[in-house]
Amino acid sequence: MSDFPSKARVVIIGGGVVGCSSLYHLAKKGWSDCVLLEKNELTAGSTWHAAGNVPTFSTSWSIMNMQRYSTELYARLGEEVDYPMNYHQTGSIRLAHSEERMQEFERACSMGRYQGIGMEIWTPEQAKERYPFLEIHDLKGVLWDPSDGDIDPAQVTQALAKGARDLGAKILRFCPATGVTQQPDKTWIVHTEKGDIACDYVVNAAGYYAQRVGEWFKPYGGRTLPMMVMSHQYLLTEQIPEIEALSKQTGKKLPLIRDVDVSYYLRQEKNGYNLGPYEPNCRGHWMTPDDQMPEDFSFQLWSDDLDRIEDIVADAMERVPLMQTTGVSSVINGPIPYAPDGLPLLGPMPGVDNAFEACVFTFGIAQGGGAGKVLAEWIVDGRTEWDMWAVDPRRYTDYTDQDYCNQKGMEVYGNEYAMHFPRHEWPAARNKKVSQVHERIVELGGQMGVYNGWERANWFAKAGDDTSEEATQTWGRAGPWQPRIREECEAVRDGVGVLDLPGFSRFNLSGPGAAEALRGLIAGGLPKVGRMNLIYIADDRGRILTEMSCLRHDEDFFTLITAGAAQWHDFDLLRKSLPESLSLTDHTADFATMIVTGPKSRELFQAIGTEADLSLPWLSHQPATVAGHPCALARVSFAGELGWEVHCANEHQPEIYEAILSAGAKPFGMYALNSLRIEKGYRAWKGDLSTDYSLLEGGLARFVKLDKPQDFPGKAALLREHQEGVKKAFVTLIVEAGDADAPYMSCIWKDGEIIGETTSGDWGYRVNASIALGMIRADLAVPGTEVEVEIYGRKYPAVVQEDQPLWDPDNSRLRA
C-alpha cells in the first residue's frame, strides 16, 4: 500500500464507536497523526448490533459525567462533522415499584441536577400524561430524564470516523493488527498483515476481542485482561397503528421506558417497539473449552433464546398492553463484553508503559462520546478533567482470574438495574484473597466485604442477628449492624479493639538517591529515620493523585503504605515517576497488618509480651517482637485513638492475633473504622482524596512545602492557587440527618443554590452525630455557617465545624 502509514503518534486497535471516538478526540486535541486499525469494517463488533440507547442516568459521578458529555456531543456532532444522523432525545421514564427505588432516583436526580441535567421526579399520573399506553396502578413514582434517547450506532460511529479523517487522522479497515513489540525506548511497533507501524502509544479498543489483544502486552508487564462476554437479546415488534397515530399527532417519538425493578427497557422503534431485557437467567459465551471465541465474529449473531426472557416479555406486555396487539418481527442476540463490575476499562494499561485501554464497554454507545474525550486527555495531557477511578483499569489487581470474571459478569448482567445499597455485598466469586486468620474472623461473627479482592470483616454479628442478604437492602443507617458498630466503636473508645486488615498496599523503596527522588515527587517533606508521616503526590494541576504513609528505615530506605484499592495505581505511579536505578518492590501479599487501638492498647502489648519501646511517640515505628514473633510496630491509628499497626509475616499472624484476642481486644470491622476515621476528619482515597480537588482545596496545606527547592509535580499550580486563593474548601459538617447519612456526592445547598458536595458521610458513635465531609464554596467554609445537605431527595440542616477533628481535637488521646 503506497499510502500505508509506517509511523503514527497513536495506534488504536478496534473500529467500534469507542475506538472512533478516541481517534476523533485525539485529532480534536491536535494529534492528527494517529491511526485506527479495524480487522473488518467499522462497527463490525458489538457496535453494529447495539440498541443505541443513550441514557445519562447513573449513580456513579464519573460515569454520569461521561454519559452526559456523550449526549451533548451527539446533539451537535452531525453538524460539527457534516454527517446527518438519527439522534432522538425522547426523554425516558424510569419506573419505581418501591420506596427504596424512589430513594435511588432522588439521589441520581440530585447528582444530575449538579451536572446540569434536568432530571425530575414525577408522579405516576404525570408519566401517564406523557405516555398514555402505560399502566401505572402499582408504581410508587417515576424519574424523568429529558436527555435520554437513542441514536443509530452505525451513523454515530461513521460520523466520528469522518470527523477524525477530516482532521487528518487515518483509518485502515480490513487491516487486522497481529501483535505488538515494545522498543527499548518504550515506544511501540504494531504489526499488521499489511506492514508495521511505529508509534508512541497503543490503545486496546478491541471490544469483545480485547482480552485476546491484551495478551500481546504480557511480555512488557501486562496481565490477562479482566472480562467476559454475555449474550444479550432484544426483540423488535411489528408496527403498531396506535403508535404511528400518536407520533403523527405529537410530531415526536414516545419516551423510552425503563422498568428497572423488572429489568428491561422498552423503546419506540419506528412505529413498533424495541424490548431489551436483562434477565437473571442469563447466559455467558465463549467461557468453556467447547465454546471458543472464533477468530472473526464480525457482523454475526447467535440464534435467539426466547425462553430465557419470556417472563420479562410477559411483564412488559402487562405494563404496556398495546404490546399484546402485535407480533415479534426479529430478535437480536449478540455479544456484549462485561468487566467484573460492569464498567469499562478506560485508562492506562496496568504495568505497561505507553499503552492504554478503552475496551469492555457494556454501554458503549452511551459512553462512547465521553470515553473518547477521557482517553484523549489521558494520552495527550497525562490526566483527565474528571476523576475517572471508577473506570481505571488499575482498579483490578491479581484476583481477577477467568472464573472470577465469568461469575461477576453473570451476576452484574442479571442485576443490571439493581440498587447498590451501601451495606450490601454481592455474593458471587468470593474468597479470592483471604488473610491467615480469615476462618477465625468468620468464626467470631465477621460479616465479610471485599476490598481489592481481599476479604475483610465489615462488622461482627452476634447470635440471633439477621445476617441475610435481604437485611442489607436499605439506604438507611439502621440494620442489624448498627448496634454492633456502636459496640465496636465504644470498645475502641474505652478499651482496645483489633482489626485484621489484609491487602494493605505496601512497597519498599531503596537505593542511593531514594530520598532525594521522593522529595522531587511528593508535595511535602520526608520523615526522619525511625519516624513516619503522610506524603501526597499531585498531578501538574496540584490535584490529589494519592496519599501514602511513609516509614523511613534508613537514609535511603523507605516503606510506602497506601490504600488497598490503590495497589496497582500507586505502584504504577511510583514506577513511572522514580529513577529506574532505584529498587521498588511490592510486598502487599507478603505481610499481614492488624490495627490494635484504644486507650488500653499499651496495656495489651505489655500483657502479651513485647520488648518494644511502647513509650516511643506518635508517628514512630520500630522492629519488635510481639507474643514471641518478630514484627514491626507503627504507632499510628486511623481510628484516632492510642494505637499501633502490627505488621508481621503471614505465617506469624494467627498466633499474634490469638494472643491479642486472649488479652481482651474486641474485634472490630471496616464499618466501625469508617465511623471512627470520619470523626477525626481523616480522608479516604478516591472519596475525599481525588483528582477532582487540589491539595489546597482538600485542606492539606500542612502537607505541602511550597518553599522547598524541589520542583515537585503541581508546584507551580499550587503556588498560583496559594496566591489567588482556593475556589472550594474542605469542611466537616454536623448534619441533622434523618434515617440515612450523606452518601458520596450529595449536594450541599445554601439559600436555594448548590454550593458544594459531600465526599463521604457516616454516623459518628463517639460524638453521637451524623457527619459529612465535603467541599464547598471557599467563602462559605467558615465555622458556624448553616447549610443544607440533600440526602436521597430531602434537605437536612447542617453546620460547618471548626477546622479540626470533632473527636479529640488536640490529638491528646493519639499522643497518650
Side-chain angles (χ1 to χ4, degrees), residues 349-392:
M349 187 181 293
V352 184
D353 290 320
N354 300 330
F356 291 80
E357 290 172 348
C359 51
V360 200
F361 279 78
T362 298
F363 298 99
I365 306 303
Q367 296 165 4
K373 165 186 156 54
V374 168
L375 187 80
E377 290 170 347
W378 233 316
I379 294 175
V380 177
D381 304 327
R383 35 60 173 188
T384 55
E385 177 184 355
W386 318 303
D387 189 279
M388 295 304 298
W389 177 243
V391 298
D392 193 314

Side-chain angles (χ1 to χ4, degrees), residues 98 127 174 252 301 347 380 386 410 576 614 622:
S98 67
F174 304 101
K252 56 188 176 184
L301 297 171
V380 177
W386 318 303
M410 299 273 283
K576 292 176 179 176
L614 299 174
Q622 60 185 309

Side-chain angles (χ1 to χ4, degrees), residues 144-155:
W144 166 251
D145 180 357
S147 303
D148 207 338
D150 64 272
I151 197 165
D152 184 301
Q155 287 181 345

Side-chain angles (χ1 to χ4, degrees), residues 54-58 61-76 87 89 111-119 145 147 366-367 369-370 373 385-386:
V54 189
T56 57
F57 179 95
S58 179
W61 185 254
S62 46
I63 293 292
M64 183 179 277
N65 260 321
M66 199 159 64
Q67 294 179 168
R68 172 186 53 77
Y69 175 84
S70 290
T71 65
E72 294 166 356
L73 172 68
Y74 298 164
R76 67 175 188 267
Y87 180 33
Q89 284 190 289
M111 290 169 61
R113 189 183 299 116
Y114 200 166
Q115 291 197 17
I117 304 168
M119 293 181 180
D145 180 357
S147 303
Q367 296 165 4
K373 165 186 156 54
E385 177 184 355
W386 318 303

Side-chain angles (χ1 to χ4, degrees), residues 74 78 87 93 110 114 211 231 238 268 288 300 376 437 454 495 570 644 670 733 791 815:
Y74 298 164
Y87 180 33
I93 294 169
S110 173
Y114 200 166
Q211 191 177 77
S231 154
E238 304 285 357
Q268 180 178 339
T288 58
Q300 295 184 54
V437 295
W454 290 91
D570 283 6
W644 284 262
M670 298 299 291
L733 304 170
I791 302 175
R815 301 173 187 274

